C-alpha cells in the first residue's frame, strides 16, 4: 500500500437521523489508505451505538490509534504517542484507549503489557466489532481481539465518511505475495475478495449520498476476484462502477506490477470515468535487487508494463514506491533505480529507506548492511531527481485544460480553491467556494513540482 498519501483529518458527516450521541471518539490513522478506510468503518459501527467522531483528542471518551507497521519508525511513533497518554489516563480513568491496525495485529498482547493503560487492541480483521470490543473493555478490562481468519464483513453506513464527494471502497484485503521486506501479509493476512455485487451496491449507496469519485482499495488489487466463484476482475469492477449514475471518476490502489494484465489497462482505456493514473510500485530499478526482494518481475518486465500502459492509455500518469538501502544494495544497483526514474518519468514517487521487519525473509536471511547515512543520502538524491522530473512533467501541462474535482479552499491559501486533476495533480485556482464537489476545467498557467496553477474555464462546471 501507498503509505505516504495523506487524507485530510475531518469529522464524520453528522446526520440528524442518527442515534442520540452520548460519547465521542477521536481516531488518528497512520499508514496507508486502507487504514484510513478501516478507521472510518470502525467509526461507522460505533456511530450506530451512540458515538460521534471528534477532531479534538482532549474532548474524546475513546482515543483510537489506527496503526501502521511498514517501517520501524511507523511503530515507534505510536509507542511514543501511547506513552504520552499514560498521564492523561491517570487523571481521567474513564478515558478509553484503543489500538487498531497493523501494529495492533503484529504486537498484539505486547501492547497491553508494555502500555497497561491501553484498554483494547483490535487487529486488522476485527474492527467491525469495535462497538462490542469497547463494551467489553468497559466491563471486563483489557481486551485483545486479533484473530485474522475469516471474512471481514465491511458493513458500512455510507453517510459516515470524512469527505463528501470522494470515498474509499474496499474490494479485497490481505496479500498472497511474500515480498522479502514486507510485513503486510503477516499483519493483513491472506487475500480475501469481497463479492462483486457488494462492491457495486456500496458504490451505488455512496453515489446516492453525493459521492462523485471512488477509490477502490486493496493491498494487491489487481488480483481481485481470483477467489470468487465466477472470477470477476478489477477491470470488471471498474466497468460496473462506471455505470453507476453520479460516479465520474474511479481510482484504485495498489497494484503489484507482476499481476498487471492488459485486460485491466484495456478496461481503464475504455472506461470514461477511470482516472488516467496508475500507482504500481517498482520498489527498485535493478533486477538483482528485485530478485532479492522476491518481487517476481525484472526491470525489463516492469518497463514493458509501463510501455503497455502508456500505449493503451495515452496521457496516463505513472507513480511508484521505491526502497533505498535494501540489504546488499551496491552503488551500481542504486544507480539503476535512479535510471529507472529517468526512463519512466513518474509523476510521483514515494521513497523509503529500507527498514528490517521482524519475521520477514529479508530480516531473517539478509544483513541490513547499508548504513543509515547512506540510506539517507540515497533517498535525498532520488528526491532531488524526482523534483526535477515532476517540474518538467507538470510544465508540459501549461497551456492545456485539466479536468478537476474541486475540494474547496486551498489548505495553504484559503482565498483560492484547490482540487485534483485526473492524473492526481493538485490544482490551485480562483473561484467561488460553492464549486466544492463539482467537476470543472482549469486552464493551466504555471506549474511547480507540487501543483498546477491556473484559471477556471467559464461554464465548464458540472
Ligand atoms: N522498509 C522500507 N520500506 C518498506 N515498504 C514496505 N516495506 C518496507 C520496509 N520493510 C515500502 C514499500 C511499499 C510502501 C508502502 O512502503 O515501498 O510499497
Ligand atoms: Fe497499510 Fe498496514 Fe501496510 Fe502500513 S503495514 S502500509 S497500515 S497495510
Amino acid at each position: 500500500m501507498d503509505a505516504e498519501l495523506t487524507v485530510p483529518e475531518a469529522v464524520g458527516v453528522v446526520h440528524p437521523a442518527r442515534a442520540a450521541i452520548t460519547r465521542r471518539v477521536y481516531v488518528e490513522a497512520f499508514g496507508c489508505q486502507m487504514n484510513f478506510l478501516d478507521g472510518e468503518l470502525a467509526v461507522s459501527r460505533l456511530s450506530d451505538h451512540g458515538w460521534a467522531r471528534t477532531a479534538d483528542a482532549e474532548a474524546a471518551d475513546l482515543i483510537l490509534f489506527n496503526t501502521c507497521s511498514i517501517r520501524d519508525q511507523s511503530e515507534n511513533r505510536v509507542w511514543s504517542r501511547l506513552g504520552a497518554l499514560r498521564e492523561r489516563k491517570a487523571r481521567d480513568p474513564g478515558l478509553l484507549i484503543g489500538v487498531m491496525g497493523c501494529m495492533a495485529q503484529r504486537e498484539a498482547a505486547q501492547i497491553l503489557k508494555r502500555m497497561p493503560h491501553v484498554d483494547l487492541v483490535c487487529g486488522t480483521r476485527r474492527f467491525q466489532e469495535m462497538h462490542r470490543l469497547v463494551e467489553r473493555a468497559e466491563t471486563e478490562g483489557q481486551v485483545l481481539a486479533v484473530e485474522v481468519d475469516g471474512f471481514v464483513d465491511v458493513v458500512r453506513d455510507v453517510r459516515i465518511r470524512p469527505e463528501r464527494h470522494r470515498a474509499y471502497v474496499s474490494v479485497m484485503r490481505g496479500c498472497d505475495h511474500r515480498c522479502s521486506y514486507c510485513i503486510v501479509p503477516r499483519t493483513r493476512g491472506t487475500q480475501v475478495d469481497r463479492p462483486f455485487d457488494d462492491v457495486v451496491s456500496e458504490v451505488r449507496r455512496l453515489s446516492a449520498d453525493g459521492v462523485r469519485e471512488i477509490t477502490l482499495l486493496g493491498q494487491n488489487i489487481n488480483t481481485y476476484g481470483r477467489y470468487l466463484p465466477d472470477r470477476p476482475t478489477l477491470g470488471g469492477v471498474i466497468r460496473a462502477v462506471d455505470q453507476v449514475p453520479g460516479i465520474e471518476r474511479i481510482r484504485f490502489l495498489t497494484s503489484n506490477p507482476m499481476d498487471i494484465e492488459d485486460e485491466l489497462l484495456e478496461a481503464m482505456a475504455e472506461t470514461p470515468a477511470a482516472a488516467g493514473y496508475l500507482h504500481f510500485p517498482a520498489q527498485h530499478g535493478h533486477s538483482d535487487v528485485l530478485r532479492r526482494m522476491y518481487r517476481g518481475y525484472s526491470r525489463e518486465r516492469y518497463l514493458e508494463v509501463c510501455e503497455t500502459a502508456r500505449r493503451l492509455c495515452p496521457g496516463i500518469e505513472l507513480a511508484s514506491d521505491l526502497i533505498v538501502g535494501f540489504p546488499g544494495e551496491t552503488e551500481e544497483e542504486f544507480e539503476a533505480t535512479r535510471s529507472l526514474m529517468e526512463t519512466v518519468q513518474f509523476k510521483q514517487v514515494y521513497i523509503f529507506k529500507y527498514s528490517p521487519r521482524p519475521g520477514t525473509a529479508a530480516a531473517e536471511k539478509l544483513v541490513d548492511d547499508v548504513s543509515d547515512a547512506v540510506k539517507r543520502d540515497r533517498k535525498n538524491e532520488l528526491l532531488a531527481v524526482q523534483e526535477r522530473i515532476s517540474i518538467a512533467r507538470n510544465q508540459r501541462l501549461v497551456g492545456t485544460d485539466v479536468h478537476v474535482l474541486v475540494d474547496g479552499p486551498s489548505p495553504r491559501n484559503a482565498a483560492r480553491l484547490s482540487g485534483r486533476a485526473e492524473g492526481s495533480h493538485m490544482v490551485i485556482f480562483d473561484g467561488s467556494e460553492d464549486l466544492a464537489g463539482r467537476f470543472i476545467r482549469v486552464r493551466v498557467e504555471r506549474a511547480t513540482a507540487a501543483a498546477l496553477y491556473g484559471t477556471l474555464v467559464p461554464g465548464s462546471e458540472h
Side-chain angles (χ1 to χ4, degrees), residues 366-421:
L366 303 172
V367 182
D368 180 21
D369 54 1
V370 179
S371 72
D372 195 57
V374 171
K375 285 179 187 166
R376 199 186 48 229
D377 288 350
R378 289 181 179 174
K379 177 174 171 174
N380 287 338
E381 260 189 65
L382 296 189
L383 286 172
V385 170
Q386 186 57 39
E387 168 93 2
R388 185 169 45 69
I389 294 174
S390 294
I391 292 179
R393 279 198 80 74
N394 287 351
Q395 281 179 347
R396 282 176 326 146
L397 295 169
V398 172
T400 66
D401 289 356
V402 288
H403 190 215
V404 177
L405 175 55
V406 183
D407 286 323
S410 154
R412 295 238 175 101
N413 174 0
R416 310 200 76 190
L417 293 179
S418 82
R420 288 270 164 193

Side-chain angles (χ1 to χ4, degrees), residues 400-402 416 427-430 440-446 452-458 460:
T400 66
D401 289 356
V402 288
R416 310 200 76 190
V427 183
I428 312 286
F429 57 98
D430 289 326
I440 53 147
R441 301 198 86 81
V442 170
R443 170 79 36 91
V444 181
E445 287 157 355
R446 187 164 70 80
L452 309 175
Y453 296 81
T455 316
L456 174 66
V457 176
S460 65

Side-chain angles (χ1 to χ4, degrees), residues 296-371:
Y297 55 86
S298 61
R299 174 190 176 95
E300 291 66 36
R301 172 71 192 135
Y302 185 84
L303 289 172
E304 250 174 58
V305 181
C306 294
E307 243 183 71
T308 314
R310 288 209 163 115
R311 180 167 45 78
L312 294 177
C313 311
I316 195 169
E317 293 286 0
L318 304 176
S320 191
D321 295 354
L322 296 165
I323 295 177
V324 293
F326 188 76
E329 184 184 57
T330 62
E331 194 58 42
E332 183 202 331
E333 287 168 343
F334 167 68
E335 283 303 323
T337 296
R338 179 211 294 271
S339 92
L340 185 87
M341 291 169 66
E342 301 281 7
T343 307
V344 178
Q345 299 277 303
F346 294 107
K347 179 209 170 264
Q348 202 165 17
V349 293
Y350 302 94
I351 301 162
F352 303 103
K353 294 188 293 176
Y354 171 69
S355 162
R357 308 310 296 131
T360 58
E364 312 248 293
K365 297 192 191 143
L366 303 172
V367 182
D368 180 21
D369 54 1
V370 179
S371 72

Side-chain angles (χ1 to χ4, degrees), residues 1-3 30-35 66-71 74 101-103 124 182-184 187-188 219:
M1 295 300 294
D2 177 343
F30 303 84
C32 64
Q33 287 82 352
M34 186 68 95
N35 246 14
N66 194 355
T67 59
C68 174
S69 290
I70 208 101
R71 283 169 295 273
S74 330
C102 288
M103 175 180 167
T124 51
C182 187
I183 195 74
V184 171
T187 59
R188 294 262 167 187
Q219 262 85 31

Side-chain angles (χ1 to χ4, degrees), residues 11 25 62 97 122 128 133 171 218 221 233 265 282 288 299 328 332 339-340 343 388 411 424 440:
V11 287
V25 51
L62 166 63
I97 301 172
C122 167
Q128 288 286 62
L133 301 178
V171 304
I221 196 164
T233 60
L265 298 169
D288 290 351
R299 174 190 176 95
E332 183 202 331
S339 92
L340 185 87
T343 307
R388 185 169 45 69
S424 203
I440 53 147

